[in-house]
């Protein structure tokens, strides 16, 4: 019953605030859209706690630097994003271009100042990421990025992409890793939610000036090790290393045409 109530509330609220954000995008400036998205995030966290019975404990806020910085977060569910937008001021985010295909979202993302890149990656995506992030960094905004590029189930991980390293180097921004066990309670692919106390934790910023290989290894180890510890706390099981999995495969044009 809790899950059904939350899921119904989720869709009603998402439609309402989606339309509100679309209307806000017609107004001058970024502030109206930001206000709508932040209010939406706070309402969703209220529903998560009140309807689904999932209380999210936010830890490590003392690790957030002053001014602009990059948040490199583990991504278990849409709930991770709600936590970030409800609690971090002046936040922008990096997203794949797949979101632009949804009705109304393209204008909202543009007005909000989201950094939209090609989901397939490659040199073109790297160049687009640098160009788009330059404006965001110049305005002193914080940047949220999910280095794996996909929702990962608890206990799994995808290959960490290097875009976060290049942004940090290009703009001299500190990188704050984020670990979570929210996926133990809200699995994005499942309608059922599991009541309990989830944790999202900001970890100390990584040292600056590292070489790419060293930076990426440290980022992955920091996020995955702490995430695995939080998962163990949530499940009561021993700490287990996360398993590297292949990213979801996009259907080919022929497969998409056949499915249609």
């Amino acid at each position: 019953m809790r899950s059904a109530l939350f899921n119904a509330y989720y869709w009603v609220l998402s439609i309402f605030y989606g339309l509100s954000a679309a209307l806000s995008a017609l107004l001058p400036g970024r502030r109206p859209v930001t206000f709508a998205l932040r209010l939406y995030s706070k309402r969703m966290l209220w529903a998560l706690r009140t309807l689904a019975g999932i209380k999210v404990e936010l830890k490590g806020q003392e690790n957030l630097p002053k001014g602009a910085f990059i948040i490199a977060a583990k991504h278990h569910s849409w709930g991770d994003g709600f936590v970030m937008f409800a609690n971090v001021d002046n936040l922008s985010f990096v997203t794949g271009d797949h979101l632009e295909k949804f009705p109304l979202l393209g204008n909202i993302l543009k007005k909000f100042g989201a950094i939209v890149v090609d989901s397939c990656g490659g040199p073109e995506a790297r160049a687009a990421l640098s160009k788009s992030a330059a404006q965001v960094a110049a305005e002193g905004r914080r940047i949220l990025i999910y280095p794996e590029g996909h929702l990962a189930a608890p206990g799994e991980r995808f290959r960490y992409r290097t875009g976060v390293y290049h942004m940090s180097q290009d703009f001299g921004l500190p990188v704050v890793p984020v670990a979570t066990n929210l996926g133990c309670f809200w699995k994005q692919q499942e309608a059922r939610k599991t009541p309990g106390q989830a944790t999202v934790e900001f970890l100390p910023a990584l040292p600056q000036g590292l070489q790419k290989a060293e930076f990426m290894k440290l980022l992955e180890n920091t996020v995955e090790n702490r995430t695995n510890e939080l998962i163990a706390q949530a499940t009561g099981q021993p700490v287990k290393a996360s398993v590297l999995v292949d990213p979801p495969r996009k259907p080919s044009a022929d497969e998409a045409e056949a499915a249609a």
Side-chain angles (χ1 to χ4, degrees), residues 2 45 48-50 52-59 76 83 179-186 193-201 226-227 229-236:
R2 278 182 174 271
L45 291 180
L48 196 63
R49 180 179 65 253
T50 306
I54 302 173
K55 181 180 179 181
V56 180
E57 179 185 16
L58 188 61
K59 302 176 66 175
H76 274 173
V83 174
T180 183
N181 60 12
L182 186 53
C184 296
F185 305 92
W186 179 353
K193 308 298 184 291
T194 303
Q197 180 164 302
T199 302
V200 175
E201 183 173 356
R226 183 54 182 158
T227 291
E229 291 173 355
L230 293 177
I231 291 172
Q233 291 178 15
T235 62

Side-chain angles (χ1 to χ4, degrees), residues 1-259:
M1 180 62 74
R2 278 182 174 271
S3 295
L5 284 173
F6 174 79
N7 292 334
Y9 186 89
Y10 172 90
W11 285 110
V12 170
L13 209 69
S14 296
I15 293 171
F16 174 80
Y17 277 102
L19 293 173
S20 298
L23 292 174
S24 299
L26 301 176
L27 300 174
R30 180 174 177 264
R31 184 173 297 179
V33 173
T34 301
F35 177 81
L37 292 178
R38 188 161 198 184
L39 190 58
Y40 169 54
S41 297
K42 290 182 176 181
R43 293 289 184 269
M44 288 307 308
L45 291 180
W46 173 89
L48 196 63
R49 180 179 65 253
T50 306
L51 301 180
I54 302 173
K55 181 180 179 181
V56 180
E57 179 185 16
L58 188 61
K59 302 176 66 175
Q61 288 170 290
E62 68 278 4
N63 291 319
L64 297 180
K66 303 288 186 181
F69 53 86
I70 299 170
I71 297 173
K74 187 70 179 180
H75 198 16
H76 274 173
S77 76
W78 288 117
D80 307 325
F82 294 140
V83 174
M84 294 295 111
F85 284 107
N87 291 281
V88 180
D89 293 328
N90 202 20
L91 185 65
S92 190
F93 69 104
V94 178
T95 183
D97 56 359
H98 63 286
L99 287 183
E100 289 187 318
K101 299 173 184 177
F102 289 91
L104 304 179
L105 268 183
N107 285 339
I108 295 173
L109 292 174
K110 183 178 180 180
K111 197 58 175 284
F112 183 73
I115 302 168
V116 182
V117 297
D118 187 340
S119 298
C120 296
E124 295 82 3
R126 159 79 178 96
L129 178 64
S130 180
K131 181 179 178 181
S132 299
Q135 179 63 34
V136 173
E139 295 174 1
R141 279 187 261 156
R142 288 79 181 266
I143 302 173
L144 169 64
I145 186 170
Y146 296 110
E148 295 168 276
H150 301 281
L151 287 166
E156 295 182 352
R157 73 183 192 278
F158 296 102
R159 180 182 64 83
Y160 277 54
R161 301 178 179 183
T162 59
V164 58
Y165 168 79
H166 291 297
M167 279 201 303
S168 176
Q169 292 297 301
D170 288 346
F171 311 116
L173 297 178
V175 175
V176 177
V178 177
T180 183
N181 60 12
L182 186 53
C184 296
F185 305 92
W186 179 353
K187 294 181 180 179
Q188 184 59 29
Q189 296 82 359
E190 296 183 7
R192 183 176 178 272
K193 308 298 184 291
T194 303
Q197 180 164 302
T199 302
V200 175
E201 183 173 356
F202 296 106
L203 305 172
L206 300 182
Q208 294 183 269
L210 300 177
Q211 296 299 310
K212 181 168 69 174
E214 185 180 10
F215 174 93
M216 295 306 301
K217 182 178 181 180
L218 180 59
L219 173 63
E220 181 172 343
N221 288 342
T222 300
V223 172
E224 293 298 323
N225 290 345
R226 183 54 182 158
T227 291
N228 294 335
E229 291 173 355
L230 293 177
I231 291 172
Q233 291 178 15
T235 62
Q237 300 295 319
V239 177
K240 298 179 182 178
S242 55
V243 177
L244 180 65
V245 296
D246 293 328
R249 186 177 69 88
K250 283 189 173 183
S252 66
D254 290 340
E255 290 172 332
E257 184 177 350

